[in-house]
Amino acid sequence: MARFTVLIVAAILAFLVAAPVPEVTAKKYLVGDKKFWNPYINYDTWVQGKHFYLGDWLYFVYYRDQHNILEVNKTDYERCISDHPIRNYTRGAGRDIVPLNVTKQYYLLDGRGGCFKGMKLTVTVEKLPPPPKSAPVKH
Ligand SMILES: *[C@@H]1O[C@H](CO)[C@@H](O)[C@H](O)[C@H]1NC(C)=O
Ligand SMILES: *[C@@H]1O[C@H](CO)[C@@H](O)[C@H](O)[C@H]1NC(C)=O
Ligand SMILES: *[C@@H]1O[C@H](CO)[C@@H](O)[C@H](O)[C@H]1NC(C)=O
């Protein structure tokens, strides 16, 4: 009986280990890293090499009396027009979160004059993180 129980437990454990457990990969990105959300920073460069997936977050830290964070459409993004934002993420404390909860391209900018000084950021949100790396492919 005891041996049988051990077998069952072993089988359950084997199943649990083998079952594909979705990884919790949601990431929170501090926009601009240590330079935060500020003028004269190239956010295209900051975005380079990063992949944004559904469920990730962008975290904006900035001087609350100087900047804000708005989502606009592509045309307005290119022209730095903030008169008709799609969404206003500004909460007032200079610490704002943009949840990347839709698979689309986000166009974000500072609507208080910083856009022309580089305070614009566009990210493409992809559906799912790639599966964990398997054994290297043989050449
Ligand atoms: C963006 O919004 C502006 C103003 O509402 C509009 O004129 C323009 O056509 C829109 N562009 C896109 C790509 O939707
Ligand atoms: C965005 O929302 C904040 C907080 O509600 C508000 O103070 C600010 O005027 C809004 N900005 C725009 C451009 O709608
Ligand atoms: C995405 O997040 C925004 C801001 O929190 C929220 O208003 C919106 O309903 C969310 N959309 C979806 C599809 O969850």
Side-chain angles (χ1 to χ4, degrees):
M1 185 61 200
R3 177 176 292 184
F4 185 64
T5 308
V6 168
L7 277 178
I8 301 255
V9 169
I12 290 172
L13 283 179
F15 175 78
L16 286 179
V17 169
V21 179
E23 278 185 73
V24 181
T25 51
K27 270 194 197 168
K28 186 163 148 185
Y29 290 92
L30 176 61
V31 173
D33 297 316
K34 285 178 184 160
K35 294 176 177 170
F36 309 108
W37 185 230
N38 274 306
Y40 309 111
I41 292 166
N42 188 335
Y43 290 97
D44 289 340
T45 307
W46 180 79
V47 160
Q48 267 171 28
K50 293 185 175 66
H51 283 273
F52 301 91
Y53 297 105
L54 204 59
D56 287 349
W57 312 73
L58 296 178
Y59 183 46
F60 290 83
V61 175
Y62 58 93
Y63 293 110
R64 64 181 175 186
D65 53 349
Q66 290 177 24
H67 307 297
N68 65 9
I69 177 71
L70 304 173
E71 182 179 353
V72 298
N73 72 15
K74 188 170 193 280
T75 318
D76 287 356
Y77 179 84
E78 283 160 359
R79 297 177 186 171
C80 280
I81 295 169
S82 57
D83 296 344
H84 21 70
I86 300 170
R87 194 181 284 276
N88 175 7
Y89 291 98
T90 318
R91 305 276 295 278
R95 303 273 187 281
D96 290 314
I97 275 181
V98 175
L100 302 175
N101 57 6
V102 180
T103 49
K104 64 169 182 181
Q105 186 153 8
Y106 284 74
Y107 299 95
L108 303 160
L109 53 73
D110 171 31
R112 297 183 72 180
C115 182
F116 285 110
K117 296 171 187 158
M119 295 179 70
K120 59 199 302 206
L121 168 67
T122 178
V123 302
T124 305
V125 176
E126 299 165 53
K127 192 159 187 158
L128 281 174
K133 282 203 181 73
S134 50
V137 180
K138 279 185 190 143
H139 292 285

